[in-house]
Amino acid sequence: MTLEAAVAAPFRHAGSDRMGEGEFVVALSLDRDWFSPDQAKRLVDIATARGLLAEEDGDLVAQFDPSDVHVPPDFRPDESVLREQSTFERAVDAIVAAGVEKREVVAAANRRQREAGVTLETAAVLVARERGIDVEEIAADVRADLFESPDTDAESDADATEAQ
């Protein structure tokens, strides 16, 4: 939510869903004094990786409707938005944004992980889907992560079983 608000603010102020990267960086660093120019560029990278921004013809284009994001008048993002979130954190944030308390989300994901014997990221996606929350992009990232790195625990379990 904080990342979305930080990204939406310059677009909302400009009354557009498209602006030059330089204009976006100036809006965050000089106009609002939220970040240094380098930090604002880092925010662009993170928001692009998260699918909130796309680059088209040298401009940044919001991949969501900035006018739908509530940015309180006293809003000021903290520097935690400048670190990339794990897939699990992104799934939790999506569920929290749908109105579920964070503590409840984490507990449900932990339960689901134990019950289904899946990764915590997979469990969080399952919890979101059970609640009717669209997390298809996050689910795709979870699938990609599962196929990119071999499951060493499964290999270890198989080796232990063979040894007995």
Side-chain angles (χ1 to χ4, degrees), residues 46-136:
I46 291 168
T48 301
R50 291 274 310 274
L52 296 174
L53 293 175
E55 293 184 47
E56 293 177 12
D57 300 325
D59 286 341
L60 295 177
V61 180
Q63 299 300 293
F64 60 98
D65 186 349
S67 64
D68 286 346
V69 178
H70 177 66
V71 182
D74 60 344
F75 174 76
R76 182 173 183 87
D78 60 29
E79 290 189 20
S80 69
V81 300
L82 298 175
R83 70 174 179 81
E84 291 192 54
Q85 291 182 304
S86 70
T87 310
F88 173 71
E89 291 169 318
R90 291 173 43 214
V92 168
D93 284 352
I95 301 166
V96 169
V100 182
E101 284 190 41
K102 186 173 186 172
R103 190 172 54 203
E104 181 183 339
V105 173
V106 173
N110 284 327
R111 265 192 317 277
R112 183 53 121 156
Q113 180 187 26
R114 282 190 306 274
E115 294 167 359
V118 296
T119 66
L120 190 56
E121 293 81 4
T122 302
V125 168
L126 291 172
V127 169
R129 287 189 171 168
E130 289 165 357
R131 294 169 186 262
I133 300 166
D134 179 18
V135 290
E136 186 53 43

